[in-house]
Amino acid sequence: MPNTPAQVNCGMAVVCPNKKAGDKEAELVCRIFDAVGSSVILEEKYMNAATALHGSSPAYIYMLIDAMANSGVKYGIPKDIALTLVAKAVEGSAKMVSETKIHPAKLCDNVCSPGGTTIEAVNVLEACGFKSSVQQAIDACVEKAEEMSV
């Protein structure tokens, strides 16, 4: 199951071989998906959660990008430039997590200067239940996937 960023060679696919597929077949399928991004092998029991984490999540990120860019427009930045600023921030942030292997909470701490602007924004996101909202959305996605797979 690949996700839509495969269209720009940055997809993520979860491969779940059945009992008839051996390591050789699973490796071949992964190589095929790796041509448009990356792949991982995961047991079937995790597939619904994987759907919520990688298959559906581009929609969550697009919503975040749009909301942030709209805030830039509110302050006079042209929409195309606001979208570029936010998209590059998302791209770079994702790359930091992937390549440095530093925990995202630590990376967030590294951006937050004491008494600064970022910590002020982070405090508002926390007060508004940002993490909880994201986790509830993922829970809803997993539950729906489980309903559909019955």
Side-chain angles (χ1 to χ4, degrees):
M1 173 198 289
N3 63 7
T4 58
Q7 295 174 55
V8 293
N9 294 325
C10 201
M12 184 69 218
V14 174
V15 176
C16 179
N18 66 20
K19 292 177 179 145
K20 294 181 181 181
D23 291 343
K24 200 173 191 180
E25 289 83 7
E27 191 176 302
L28 173 63
V29 171
C30 284
R31 279 202 320 266
I32 291 168
F33 282 122
D34 289 348
V36 293
S38 300
S39 62
V40 295
I41 295 175
L42 201 58
E43 292 179 50
E44 178 77 27
K45 66 183 178 181
Y46 300 116
M47 205 54 142
N48 292 335
T51 295
L53 293 178
H54 93 290
S56 300
S57 65
Y60 322 150
I61 303 305
Y62 301 144
M63 290 175 69
L64 174 66
I65 290 169
D66 189 47
M68 292 175 68
N70 284 343
S71 290
V73 171
K74 174 182 172 183
Y75 290 102
I77 298 174
K79 183 74 176 231
D80 61 329
I81 294 173
L83 283 169
T84 298
L85 293 172
V86 176
K88 289 304 285 183
V90 170
E91 178 185 1
S93 299
K95 198 167 185 173
M96 288 287 291
V97 170
S98 296
E99 293 186 9
T100 68
K101 307 297 185 205
I102 297 170
H103 192 281
K106 174 64 176 150
L107 291 169
C108 183
D109 288 347
N110 291 346
V111 180
C112 295
S113 303
T117 57
T118 305
I119 192 63
E120 195 70 24
V122 166
N123 285 339
V124 170
L125 288 171
E126 288 178 353
C128 291
F130 181 76
K131 287 182 182 181
S132 176
S133 294
V134 171
Q135 291 166 343
Q136 288 177 45
I138 289 170
D139 290 345
C141 190
V142 171
E143 290 170 18
K144 182 65 173 182
E146 289 172 352
E147 286 174 21
M148 294 172 67
S149 62
V150 173

